[in-house]
Amino acid sequence: MHGARRGYEVVGMKTVAAVLHEQGKPWDIVEIDLDGPKDHEVLVRFHAAGLCHSDEHVRSGDSRGRVPMVGGHEGAGIVEAVGNGVDRVAVGDHVVCSFIPVCGTCRYCQTGRSSLCNKGLNAGIGCLPDGTFRFHENGQDIGGLCCLGTFSERAVLSEWSVTKVPEDVPFDVAALVGCGVTTGWGSAVYASGVRAGETVVVVGIGGVGINAVQGARMAGARDVIAVDLVPFKLEMAAKLGATHTFGDYDEVREAVKELTWGQGADHVILTVGVMTREVVDFGIELTGKGGTVTITGIPVMGDMTIVQNSAAITGWQKRIQGTIFGSANPLYDIPRLLGLYKAGDLKLDELITRRYQLEQINQGYQDMLDGKNIRGVVIFDA
Ligand SMILES: NC(=O)c1ccc[n+]([C@@H]2O[C@H](COP(=O)([O-])OP(=O)(O)OC[C@H]3O[C@@H](n4cnc5c(N)ncnc54)[C@H](O)[C@@H]3O)[C@@H](O)[C@H]2O)c1
Ligand SMILES: [Zn+2]
Ligand SMILES: [Zn+2]
């Protein structure tokens, strides 16, 4: 007990949220009902929520998702109440959401791979780990994307879905570490295992890819080649650690050949907004012997994006792999990356291109699709 308000004192409330009622339609801003926290759950008042492309995949129908659904899986705020038995956080703590819960006891959590926690299985349904819902509208259950739903003033979350962070970190940058920052950084540092002196290509410089650039640089890569179709993205990549930037695939082919004396890249990290076969083929082509292709971006459901004759993959011993949450461990890496931010090593303020009110969320996503933002962030008025 941390002098916390107990869950049974919080009987329920209203909250304004961005809800997806039908895939393919815009987010609706509506007032909905929110239950109080049950055992091992916390009530969080959000201060900021990041606009990741994965929510857009669910909105557009690229990805499967149960509706109605409160969007948002990057969020930071303050714990306002806790249910019985909560011991990870207390009332008043500043927290960042983890888009994969960390139960601590499944085989993946127990082996240092908590980005694979078995409790992540309800992400697209949006219920809490016990299978029930805390958001409701006219008596109907509403999910929260990734068991979160950060596009809401308040949400009730499993204590497994929150990580305590220092109070002096601004909420807007903290929110981004709940997905985009950690996913990109970890795609380079953990999944690819970038080492000093290597040549790394990052394809797609959004809120995820820009952090793969930062991670590759921090891990000591000699060449960090950023690829995007939007010039503004390449300017940002150059500011945050890319040694070379290109908007044209043939120029990338040429540069990788020159820089590596024909051997190919050590690592190619694919972080485009919508993964395609063309991008995967390009990544495999750029990779040299013993190199890795890391697929972080998500395709349209059902699209065949890995279609290759495997002889060269075998003979050149290439590794093609996926990564979720950058293969990071949320409880360890979220505070760690915020520590790197405080030390000035990891740039986070620079990632926020525009801030929005919740009511402007559809505009925020349009700006993302138009290539105007590294990251857009929703700010909730206090
Ligand atoms: N694996 C995970 O754990 C995880 C976590 C978060 C996001 N994601 C996925 O990662 C992807 C990136 O997310 P984001 O939020 O950074 O998206 P974003 O829309 O902010 O950025 C995508 C970038 O890719 C660029 N791009 C698009 N097509 C391209 C192409 N053919 N070649 C080069 N560049 C291209 C765009 O210009 C944009 O800059 C999405 O698919 C998202 O769903 C995966
Ligand atoms: Zn995300
Ligand atoms: Zn687990």
Side-chain angles (χ1 to χ4, degrees):
M1 176 90 188
H2 308 268
R5 271 201 290 153
R6 302 306 247 165
Y8 56 76
E9 291 173 21
V10 183
V11 284
M13 66 213 82
K14 299 278 185 190
T15 184
V16 175
V19 177
L20 184 67
H21 287 100
E22 192 181 332
Q23 287 191 293
K25 295 279 167 63
W27 298 101
D28 297 321
I29 307 301
V30 287
E31 192 180 67
I32 56 176
D33 298 308
L34 177 63
D35 299 336
K38 298 191 176 173
D39 293 358
H40 298 288
E41 295 174 2
V42 299
L43 171 67
V44 175
R45 163 83 167 91
F46 287 117
H47 286 252
L51 304 185
C52 176
H53 202 121
S54 299
D55 305 276
E56 169 61 16
H57 280 305
V58 173
R59 189 208 61 77
S60 67
D62 291 352
S63 298
R64 198 169 284 120
R66 175 194 179 277
V67 289
M69 175 87 86
V70 175
H73 63 281
E74 287 184 349
I78 298 179
V79 176
E80 283 192 334
V82 299
N84 292 312
V86 170
D87 57 13
R88 278 202 194 164
V89 293
V91 170
D93 281 353
H94 289 214
V95 292
V96 167
C97 295
S98 164
F99 81 87
I100 308 279
V102 180
C103 78
T105 56
C106 73
R107 65 181 290 214
Y108 301 99
C109 286
Q110 281 289 301
T111 50
R113 297 174 292 167
S114 50
S115 69
L116 296 174
C117 176
N118 281 339
K119 295 298 177 185
L121 83 172
N122 289 325
I125 297 171
C127 57
L128 281 134
D130 72 356
T132 64
F133 297 83
R134 300 294 166 270
F135 291 120
H136 312 277
E137 188 180 26
N138 304 322
Q140 190 183 10
D141 288 336
I142 305 185
L145 191 64
C146 298
C147 312
L148 298 172
T150 63
F151 298 162
S152 176
E153 295 167 333
R154 288 182 171 79
V156 167
L157 313 174
S158 165
E159 65 175 320
W160 295 337
S161 296
V162 292
T163 302
K164 184 178 173 176
V165 298
E167 291 185 13
D168 56 351
V169 178
F171 289 110
D172 49 7
V173 296
L176 306 187
V177 182
C179 177
V181 172
T182 313
T183 299
W185 193 87
S187 293
V189 175
Y190 293 137
S192 305
V194 173
R195 294 167 62 161
E198 292 188 321
T199 297
V200 181
V201 182
V202 181
V203 186
I205 309 297
V208 175
I210 192 79
N211 295 297
V213 167
Q214 296 207 75
R217 172 185 54 79
M218 226 184 265
R222 187 194 66 184
D223 311 306
V224 181
I225 301 168
V227 186
D228 203 289
L229 311 175
V230 179
F232 155 67
K233 306 294 187 125
L234 299 178
E235 283 163 29
M236 287 300 295
K239 279 187 194 151
L240 298 190
T243 55
H244 304 74
T245 63
F246 299 103
D248 178 277
Y249 284 14
D250 282 335
E251 288 178 24
V252 182
R253 289 182 174 97
E254 203 49 45
V256 168
K257 204 191 272 176
E258 270 178 32
L259 289 164
T260 66
W261 296 340
Q263 295 175 84
D266 296 298
H267 306 283
V268 182
I269 302 169
L270 304 177
T271 48
V272 299
V274 183
M275 193 54 58
T276 61
R277 177 177 174 182
E278 184 200 10
V279 173
V280 174
D281 284 350
F282 182 54
I284 295 172
E285 176 197 335
L286 290 175
T287 306
K289 286 186 193 174
T292 63
V293 182
T294 298
I295 306 177
T296 306
I298 294 171
V300 173
M301 200 171 29
D303 274 7
M304 293 298 120
T305 46
I306 305 181
V307 189
Q308 287 262 336
N309 179 283
S310 57
I313 293 168
T314 302
W316 285 39
Q317 208 171 294
K318 296 187 185 186
R319 210 145 44 87
I320 303 169
Q321 60 177 353
T323 181
I324 187 85
F325 216 153
S327 311
N329 284 304
L331 295 186
Y332 170 60
D333 285 299
I334 289 173
R336 176 160 119 98
L337 292 181
L338 289 173
L340 290 171
Y341 161 74
K342 297 245 328 182
D345 295 325
L346 184 69
K347 304 297 179 198
L348 299 184
D349 296 304
E350 292 78 352
L351 308 185
I352 303 175
T353 319
R354 286 181 178 77
R355 291 173 174 78
Y356 303 91
Q357 298 291 306
L358 185 63
E359 294 69 26
Q360 300 170 299
I361 194 159
N362 291 301
Q363 183 60 49
Y365 271 111
Q366 192 57 51
D367 289 346
M368 180 194 81
L369 294 172
D370 291 343
K372 292 181 181 166
N373 291 348
I374 294 291
R375 246 321 174 248
V377 175
V378 167
I379 305 294
F380 295 92
D381 291 329

